[in-house]
């Protein structure tokens, strides 16, 4: 079990306004404080010369350049993207969702994630997620049915299952998916190893539930390949380098008739609020990261009837905690 995730906050200042960005770096993607600091220094040198207020064209051009500074570094790139967008919104005095014409009434309800754990811990965690109307349950354990039975003894909320690349054997997976459907599961995420697209395609063809790519889908360039192997993609800012590419990925997935989930790593309210700006464009919202940490420097986003609330505050709508 993971007890912490490396994260780095970045700020961009312009004429007394500050934009916040965040790089959240789970260990399996290989970014560290050192790699992020080195990348952000390079990015800062490029951004220092920007004098004029931001515009969509300028943001696109800057992000294109910054993406080319070095390969990888997706989370560090996301930090720059998020800070630029927050600052742009603050310069406009408007929230990003307003600038982009996104309808907040289309916000899907949010899910709360439970990792693989003992029945006692699962029951405790269920209580912590009481404000969320949907559960996201991590499977890929030795006893996946046992985990779902434990959940079902305590809750009848709809369930998303994230197998986290943990399943092997196509027939066994398909049997399990049918069983999960009978137990109120609504979708399956990343059933097999990220590179095993053949098994994903096999299951997608037969599954009664939609099958989503998470680890198999990082950036927009992965979309053509995964489109034929999954029903949907889990778009995360930390994988796809931020809001700019996330918006393009969501649109491109729609064009391919794919379903879209917007997800997160373990993140503060900064990156979660950024993802929330585009969440109404998606079918499923899994943005609970900032509810799972103890040292969030920002106030939590509002939740109403299990839906993330978009406010009228400019940019990401962040509020630095006062106490
Ligand atoms: Mg996942």
């Amino acid at each position: 079990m993971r007890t912490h995730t490396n994260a780095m906050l970045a700020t961009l200042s312009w004429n007394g306004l500050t934009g916040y960005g965040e790089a959240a770096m789970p260990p399996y993607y290989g970014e560290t404080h050192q790699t992020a600091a080195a990348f952000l220094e390079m990015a800062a040198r490029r951004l220092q010369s920007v004098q004029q207020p931001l515009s969509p064209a300028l943001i696109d051009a800057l992000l294109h350049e910054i993406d080319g500074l070095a390969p990888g570094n997706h989370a560090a790139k996301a930090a720059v993207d998020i800070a630029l967008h927050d600052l742009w919104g603050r310069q406009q005095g408007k929230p990003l969702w307003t600038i982009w014409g996104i309808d907040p009434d289309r916000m899907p309800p949010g899910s709360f994630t439970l990792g693989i754990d003992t029945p006692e811990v699962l029951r405790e965690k269920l209580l912590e997620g009481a404000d969320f109307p949907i559960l996201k349950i991590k499977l890929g354990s030795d006893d996946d049915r046992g985990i779902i039975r434990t959940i079902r003894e305590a809750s009848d909320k709809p369930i998303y299952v994230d197998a986290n690349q943990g399943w092997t054997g196509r027939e066994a997976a398909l049997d399990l998916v049918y069983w999960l459907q009978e137990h109120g599961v609504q979708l399956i995420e990343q059933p097999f190893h990220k590179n095993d697209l053949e098994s994903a395609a096999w299951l997608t063809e037969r599954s009664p539930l939609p099958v989503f790519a998470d680890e198999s889908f990082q950036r927009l360039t992965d979309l053509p390949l995964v489109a034929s192997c999954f029903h949907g993609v889990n778009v995360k800012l930390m994988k796809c380098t931020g809001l700019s590419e996330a918006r393009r990925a969501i649109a491109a997935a729609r064009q391919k008739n794919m379903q879209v989930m917007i997800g997160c790593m373990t993140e503060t309210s900064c990156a979660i609020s950024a993802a929330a700006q585009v969440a109404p464009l998606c079918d499923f919202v899994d943005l609970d990261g900032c509810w799972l940490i103890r040292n969030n420097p920002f106030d939590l986003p509002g939740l109403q009837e299990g839906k993330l609330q978009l406010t009228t505050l400019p940019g990401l709508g962040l509020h630095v905690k006062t106490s």
Side-chain angles (χ1 to χ4, degrees), residues 22-33:
E22 174 177 1
M25 300 170 280
Y28 45 87
Y29 285 122
E31 290 184 73
T32 64
H33 279 129

Side-chain angles (χ1 to χ4, degrees), residues 6-309:
N6 287 333
M8 189 176 278
L9 290 174
T11 57
L12 282 176
S13 300
W14 183 88
N15 275 7
L17 296 173
T18 301
Y20 290 90
E22 174 177 1
M25 300 170 280
Y28 45 87
Y29 285 122
E31 290 184 73
T32 64
H33 279 129
Q34 275 145 336
T35 63
F39 187 87
L40 290 174
E41 245 174 69
M42 279 196 290
R45 277 198 291 276
R46 173 61 191 90
L47 294 171
Q48 255 159 12
S49 60
V50 177
Q51 301 295 326
Q52 69 271 47
L54 293 167
S55 66
L58 178 55
I59 291 175
D60 272 356
L62 289 170
L63 288 175
H64 183 73
E65 266 186 66
I66 282 164
D67 194 17
L69 289 175
N73 291 286
H74 295 181
K77 289 172 182 175
V80 178
D81 166 288
I82 294 168
L84 279 170
H85 281 100
D86 189 28
L87 184 57
W88 176 48
R90 289 171 192 261
Q91 289 173 345
Q92 304 283 311
K94 289 179 189 159
L96 292 169
W97 63 267
T98 308
I99 299 174
W100 285 329
I102 290 171
D103 179 1
D105 291 342
R106 302 194 67 139
M107 179 71 79
S111 58
F112 185 79
T113 302
L114 279 75
I116 294 173
D117 232 314
T118 61
E120 294 72 36
V121 176
L122 287 174
R123 281 190 283 269
E124 259 172 53
K125 291 269 170 67
L126 271 177
L127 299 175
E128 288 171 26
D131 291 341
F132 289 82
I134 300 163
L135 301 169
K136 185 168 180 185
I137 309 293
K138 302 268 189 187
L139 294 185
S141 72
D142 298 336
D143 185 17
D144 285 350
R145 286 174 172 84
I147 289 175
I148 296 297
R149 282 194 196 98
T150 299
I151 301 296
R152 277 290 169 253
E153 280 163 19
S155 170
D156 57 6
K157 289 179 183 176
I159 294 175
Y160 305 156
V161 155
D162 185 356
N164 255 338
Q165 315 183 66
W167 292 351
T168 51
R170 298 174 181 182
E171 297 286 353
L174 184 60
D175 280 352
L176 183 54
V177 171
Y178 272 103
W179 185 89
L180 291 169
Q181 186 190 30
E182 286 165 19
H183 289 77
V185 171
Q186 298 194 333
L187 64 87
I188 307 292
E189 186 174 310
Q190 198 64 48
F192 305 110
H193 187 273
K194 62 183 177 182
N195 295 332
D196 188 1
L197 296 181
E198 273 181 33
S199 293
W202 184 93
L203 187 65
T204 292
E205 207 177 301
R206 294 160 179 82
S207 170
L209 297 174
V211 182
F212 278 69
D214 182 5
E215 284 80 0
S216 295
F217 173 73
Q218 303 287 320
R219 296 196 62 169
L220 182 56
T221 47
D222 300 328
L223 197 66
L225 196 56
V226 297
S228 56
C229 310
F230 294 90
H231 297 106
V233 283
N234 185 341
V235 175
K236 296 179 179 173
L237 300 187
M238 296 302 146
K239 294 190 299 183
C240 76
T241 73
L243 283 165
S244 180
E245 188 163 313
R247 291 176 68 221
R248 293 207 299 276
I250 292 166
R254 291 290 184 216
Q255 281 220 316
K256 293 185 180 295
N257 287 319
M258 294 185 86
Q259 300 180 51
V260 182
M261 172 185 287
I262 184 132
C264 63
M265 307 298 180
T266 306
E267 296 167 358
T268 75
S269 298
C270 177
I272 295 295
S273 300
Q277 304 295 315
V278 296
L281 303 174
C282 304
D283 305 297
F284 304 96
V285 171
D286 182 35
L287 296 176
D288 59 349
C290 58
W291 278 270
L292 308 176
I293 58 171
R294 289 208 183 89
N295 55 350
N296 190 350
F298 307 99
D299 286 342
L300 283 170
L303 261 186
Q304 212 167 9
E305 290 170 10
K307 295 178 181 177
L308 276 158
Q309 295 295 291

